[in-house]
Amino acid sequence: MNIIKDLYNYRELLKTNIKKDVGGKYKNSFLGVLWSFVNPLLSIMVYALVFQVILKSDIENYTVYLCCGLIPWQYFAAVVQRGAATIIDNANIIKKVYFPREILPISVVTSEGVNFLISTIIILGFVIFGGIGLSVNILWYFVILAIQYIICIGISFIVSSLSVYFRDLIHILGIIIQLLFYATPIVYAANQVPAGLQWIIKINPMTYLIESYRNIFYNKMPPDCANLLIALAMGVGLCIIGYLVFKKLEKKFAEEL
């Protein structure tokens, strides 16, 4: 309950940080917020070229299929990479002013969530103009997003606190994220994974989320509630573990920074 009380008491600081993150991400760039569309579109084009044109994927409407998995993944990847550096990047403030340190990783997750909301327009565009269309099941989007937000909070707590003590973690995470990308059914279907390797994608919470996003956008059906419950349980577990790790390690943040 302490974290809820602290966040409420410092809600203005949290709002300011989120606004700064959202507004400053593309500050002074020529295209500005349009990069929220350009970056995902370029990634979709590259992967579609490789897996549909060159490797001849037999998945119907592959570009739409890819889009529904890649854009949620980019939200996750951005949170992990930016979250790992957020305490270090704010070292000067941490050493001078007291405020709940949890605000920093939460700000990153929330601001990237805003960018993801903007990028979701791309998914809608591909679904509509790709001939699939929309259904009422799209309303599940906010439930799935809420679960992803919880998972991202937990992971951000862990990586942001550990990286203060192990600076190499920031660089290692780049490799880990790349490996996780191919361990998540984004460019391929989950049923294409051999039975002996299914456990790899089943311990990955992003598998359940991406399958859920695909169900509501690509398949026009409700998400599998069992998958959502598994992802939610993983998210709550990560949040509890992440918060405990963060509170344990934050005591010496100022010294390490």
Side-chain angles (χ1 to χ4, degrees):
M1 296 300 296
N2 286 338
I3 185 174
I4 296 174
K5 182 179 178 181
D6 286 342
L7 290 176
Y8 178 78
N9 291 337
Y10 288 84
R11 59 190 180 280
E12 292 303 322
L13 177 59
L14 179 60
K15 290 178 185 177
T16 301
N17 263 14
I18 294 170
K19 288 179 181 178
K20 183 184 71 174
D21 279 351
V22 173
K25 185 172 184 180
Y26 301 117
K27 187 178 180 180
N28 297 326
S29 66
F30 179 72
L31 293 179
V33 73
L34 287 177
W35 281 112
S36 294
F37 298 98
V38 174
N39 282 330
L41 284 172
L42 290 175
S43 298
I44 291 168
M45 287 173 59
V46 171
Y47 285 111
L49 175 65
V50 172
F51 289 94
Q52 183 177 26
V53 178
I54 299 177
L55 297 181
K56 306 294 184 182
S57 173
D58 58 357
I59 296 174
E60 188 178 356
N61 287 322
Y62 181 78
T63 305
V64 181
Y65 180 91
L66 174 65
C67 176
C68 294
L70 186 60
I71 292 181
W73 171 263
Q74 289 181 331
Y75 171 32
F76 171 79
V79 163
V80 175
Q81 291 178 314
R82 288 195 57 214
T86 187
I87 301 296
I88 297 170
D89 289 345
N90 290 278
N92 290 333
I93 301 174
I94 289 174
K95 288 187 285 188
K96 294 176 182 177
V97 182
Y98 170 76
F99 61 93
R101 311 313 191 199
E102 303 94 309
I103 283 179
L104 296 174
I106 290 174
S107 296
V108 169
V109 176
T110 307
S111 62
E112 288 298 336
V114 173
N115 288 325
F116 173 53
L117 283 169
I118 297 172
S119 298
T120 302
I121 297 173
I122 298 175
I123 300 179
L124 295 174
F126 272 92
V127 168
I128 293 170
F129 295 106
I132 292 177
L134 300 176
S135 74
V136 70
N137 293 300
I138 195 175
L139 296 176
W140 281 94
Y141 170 84
F142 297 101
V143 176
I144 303 167
L145 175 58
I147 296 174
Q148 183 170 359
Y149 183 84
I150 293 170
I151 290 172
C152 288
I153 290 287
I155 293 176
S156 189
F157 277 154
I158 295 171
V159 297
S160 63
S161 55
L162 289 178
S163 62
V164 174
Y165 296 84
F166 310 103
R167 303 296 175 91
D168 288 346
L169 180 63
I170 296 175
H171 306 289
I172 294 171
L173 281 173
I175 301 172
I176 293 174
I177 289 172
Q178 190 64 34
L179 293 174
L180 280 175
F181 175 83
Y182 289 103
T184 308
I186 299 171
V187 296
Y188 57 85
N191 58 16
Q192 292 178 314
V193 179
L197 298 177
Q198 281 286 329
W199 65 271
I200 296 177
I201 64 173
K202 287 182 178 179
I203 62 172
N204 180 357
M206 286 304 296
T207 294
Y208 303 102
L209 294 177
I210 286 174
E211 289 292 294
S212 298
Y213 282 120
R214 282 218 178 99
N215 275 347
I216 65 171
F217 287 117
Y218 180 80
N219 297 318
K220 295 198 295 184
M221 60 186 289
D224 187 320
C225 289
N227 284 351
L228 289 183
L229 289 174
I230 292 171
L232 178 60
M234 289 181 172
V236 172
L238 283 169
C239 271
I240 294 172
I241 294 170
Y243 182 68
L244 293 175
V245 170
F246 191 92
K247 297 305 287 183
K248 178 72 174 178
L249 298 180
E250 76 165 343
K251 298 174 183 176
K252 293 187 178 181
F253 277 176
E255 295 177 23
E256 293 294 327
L257 293 171

